[in-house]
Amino acid sequence: MPTLNYLKLINDTLINYYSDSQNKDEKKILKHNIIKEVLNIERCFEKITKEEAIGILKDLGISKDKLENVYQEVLQSQM
């Protein structure tokens, strides 16, 4: 079951990947830093819309067929 901490780890990994000199992508670094701020808000998935949460999960690389399940699991884990 993916947890919020797991999503934070994925996001941190992506920030590091896009910060690497060979893969440098300022736009993606900025996007993932914003995602990092959102994920650090207590009970963040309850405070944003489902569409926004799904968008974050897509940006983190969660596959389309697992988006709904991961969203529900993370939401449940925050309760």
Side-chain angles (χ1 to χ4, degrees):
M1 166 156 94
T3 64
L4 192 56
N5 285 333
Y6 177 71
L7 297 178
K8 288 178 182 181
L9 179 62
I10 292 172
N11 193 55
D12 287 342
T13 301
L14 289 169
I15 290 171
N16 289 335
Y17 175 78
Y18 293 124
S19 296
D20 183 347
S21 60
Q22 292 180 349
N23 304 306
K24 193 96 170 157
D25 189 331
E26 294 295 333
K27 211 171 174 184
K28 289 186 179 184
I29 293 168
L30 177 62
K31 175 171 57 174
H32 286 285
N33 277 319
I34 292 169
I35 291 172
K36 184 176 188 165
E37 288 182 33
V38 171
L39 293 178
N40 282 327
I41 296 171
E42 187 175 337
R43 300 170 75 114
C44 61
F45 273 46
E46 293 178 14
K47 296 178 180 175
I48 60 177
T49 67
K50 181 177 181 178
E51 291 76 23
E52 291 168 329
I54 295 294
I56 288 173
L57 294 174
K58 284 180 184 177
D59 287 335
L60 294 177
I62 304 299
S63 62
K64 189 176 183 177
D65 62 322
K66 294 182 181 179
L67 285 172
E68 183 65 32
N69 287 340
V70 171
Y71 170 74
Q72 291 299 329
E73 289 175 8
V74 173
L75 197 58
Q76 288 293 325
S77 73
Q78 291 188 332
M79 296 183 165

